[in-house]
Amino acid sequence: MLGVLALGSCASAPVAEDYVLPPHASVAGKTLGEYAAEWWQWSLSIPLDESPVKDLTGEKCASGQIGEVWFLAGTYENVPISRRCTVPQGRHIFFPVINMVYWRPPQRPVSCEAVQDAAALNNDRLSTIQLSIDGRDIPEMRAHREKSPGCFDVFARVSKQVKAPPGYPAASDGYWIMLKPLPAGKHTIHFHAQYDRPGSPFGNLTQDVSYEIEITPR
């Protein structure tokens, strides 16, 4: 009898993939594509010396966070990065495994369709993609491709004190994950992905980021 009870308890306990929302889900009335646009507005509104994307340790993880969805950063580096981050309990967690954004070049007007096509180009050449949460691989990662709806102003959150270049039209395209709020305690998130860019002078673009996340009661 005890063995049966223990088995039932294990079977009903959440596992890593139970925390991953399905592709094209909505949270608080917004689609994941809309959050992708907001993620870019968040990341580009923060000065480089405070940027969670440029940060190598996780020290800047809390920079610019607002609302009930916590953004985790990718990296500008093409090498593995490890970070530690504290997140308040009850927050959804949203991050790109790999993605692109493209916006209007200065002094050269372009259409919304043109920037959407540019943002999609590398994502049409995805080579590898992997995500693990608490050591468990998440399946069917290629289904998690999300595009920002229409076009947006990528510099919409930049301080009015800073003169930003024109940020519209902009578009994002990539592989994004939204997690349900994780239980209090320590968790690990690791993601790795690569675009195959034959002939590019910059080589293949890679993201390889590990997070140690501590979820703390509010």
Side-chain angles (χ1 to χ4, degrees), residues 27 62 64-71 86-94 178-183 215-216 218:
V27 173
Q65 301 286 355
I66 58 175
E68 294 303 306
V69 174
W70 189 280
F71 293 151
T86 299
V87 177
Q89 191 173 14
R91 302 281 186 94
H92 284 74
I93 296 176
F94 184 68
M178 180 74 81
L179 301 182
K180 300 173 187 177
L182 296 172
I215 306 296
T216 59
R218 297 201 206 196

Side-chain angles (χ1 to χ4, degrees), residues 7 26 35 59 83 94 108 115 119-120 126 155 165 179 189 201-202 208 216:
L7 179 61
S26 295
Y35 280 109
E59 178 185 3
R83 298 179 175 134
F94 184 68
R108 186 160 66 85
V115 296
L126 183 71
F155 297 122
L179 301 182
I189 298 172
F202 305 105
D208 192 336
T216 59

Side-chain angles (χ1 to χ4, degrees), residues 2-114:
L2 288 176
V4 173
L5 288 174
L7 179 61
S9 174
C10 289
S12 62
V15 293
E17 53 263 42
D18 292 333
Y19 293 111
V20 178
L21 288 183
H24 320 310
S26 295
V27 173
K30 297 178 184 177
T31 66
L32 301 193
E34 289 175 298
Y35 280 109
E38 290 191 8
W39 186 97
W40 275 109
Q41 291 169 334
W42 163 76
S43 68
L44 292 176
S45 71
I46 302 170
L48 280 180
D49 59 353
E50 293 295 321
S51 171
V53 185
K54 190 174 176 58
D55 176 26
L56 301 182
T57 66
E59 178 185 3
K60 309 299 185 183
C61 183
S63 294
Q65 301 286 355
I66 58 175
E68 294 303 306
V69 174
W70 189 280
F71 293 151
L72 291 184
T75 179
Y76 295 132
E77 307 298 327
N78 230 23
V79 296
I81 299 295
S82 295
R83 298 179 175 134
R84 293 182 177 179
C85 182
T86 299
V87 177
Q89 191 173 14
R91 302 281 186 94
H92 284 74
I93 296 176
F94 184 68
F95 57 93
V97 178
I98 195 166
N99 85 109
M100 296 296 296
V101 68
Y102 194 86
W103 64 88
R104 169 193 158 180
Q107 311 304 322
R108 186 160 66 85
V110 295
S111 68
C112 179
E113 291 77 11

